[in-house]
Amino acid sequence: MQTVECFIKQRLCFVVEVAVSIKEITEDRWDQIVQLEAAAYSDIAPESKETLRSKWLASPDLCFVFEQEQAVVAYLLAHSWHSIAPPNLFEPLAETSEGKYLFIHDLVVATSHAGLGLGRMMVQHLFNQTSVRMFESALLVAVQHSQTFWAKQGFSPAPEQTLSDAYGPGAVLMHRPLAAL
């Protein structure tokens, strides 16, 4: 009983810490974000800092980091988007990209923090934002065999779309209706 109680206390402490540690991105976090991105992707090349920042600049209220002891250990980049077809990789977001879709561009969790539920918490934090309610649905491209994770977050494969080879082998466009949020 004491072991279970201790585990429950530790889990509750972790959840409290998570609520405090998910923060909006600030300019001084970009070098850490770029490092996380480079470490995370093996099937596709990392994008430039300029390209990643363009997503943040378009929708700063939809982009977050998870910090532990002032180090970024996870990030999520999302933005407004105008089409069911995903944006091109490696290109900064155009100023005319506003639309009815919430596009989740990137979610990365450091390997040192994998399996702790940070990805799920980051996604839930995004969906809890008031500004998300203006979107019809959320879109993303699942890469590097992440379809199972995204399905657990309520996403399903989108109608057949041709994806750029830049997204890597096995990439799948996925969507989630947001009307129920």
Side-chain angles (χ1 to χ4, degrees):
M1 181 69 170
Q2 192 172 27
T3 304
V4 172
E5 185 178 320
C6 181
F7 173 75
I8 291 171
K9 285 180 183 176
Q10 287 177 345
R11 187 68 168 167
L12 290 175
C13 290
F14 179 72
V15 171
V16 169
E17 180 183 339
V18 167
V20 172
S21 298
I22 295 177
K23 302 175 180 177
E24 289 187 7
I25 294 175
T26 56
E27 191 66 51
D28 61 334
R29 296 300 182 238
W30 281 102
D31 288 339
Q32 292 181 63
I33 290 169
V34 169
Q35 289 174 351
L36 272 178
E37 180 208 25
Y41 292 112
S42 57
D43 291 350
I44 58 176
E47 292 184 284
S48 70
K49 183 191 293 188
E50 174 192 9
T51 299
L52 294 175
R53 283 183 77 252
S54 74
K55 308 331 181 197
W56 170 61
L57 291 171
S59 300
D61 59 323
L62 302 174
C63 299
F64 309 99
V65 292
F66 179 90
E67 293 182 346
Q68 186 173 43
E69 298 177 7
Q70 299 182 351
V72 175
V73 296
Y75 72 87
L76 185 148
L77 302 176
H79 58 82
S80 178
W81 188 240
H82 59 81
S83 170
I84 187 82
N88 293 327
L89 284 180
F90 312 112
E91 294 179 15
L93 200 59
E95 290 182 22
T96 59
S97 64
E98 291 285 321
K100 62 183 179 179
Y101 300 105
L102 170 67
F103 189 82
I104 300 176
H105 180 77
D106 211 356
L107 171 63
V108 171
V109 176
T111 55
S112 60
H113 287 71
L116 298 176
L118 294 182
R120 179 186 48 77
M121 287 182 237
M122 297 283 283
V123 171
Q124 189 58 51
H125 184 78
L126 173 65
F127 288 145
N128 287 339
Q129 301 307 301
T130 304
S131 57
V132 168
R133 293 187 183 106
M134 69 182 192
F135 297 109
E136 179 181 295
S137 62
L139 299 170
L140 60 86
V141 177
V143 298
Q144 295 191 169
H145 312 289
S146 62
Q147 296 88 329
T148 301
F149 168 81
W150 289 111
K152 289 178 183 177
Q153 311 316 308
F155 285 82
S156 57
E160 197 63 36
Q161 288 287 320
T162 302
L163 296 174
S164 165
D165 289 341
Y167 281 105
V172 176
L173 181 67
M174 300 185 81
H175 73 101
R176 173 183 166 169
L178 295 179
L181 289 180

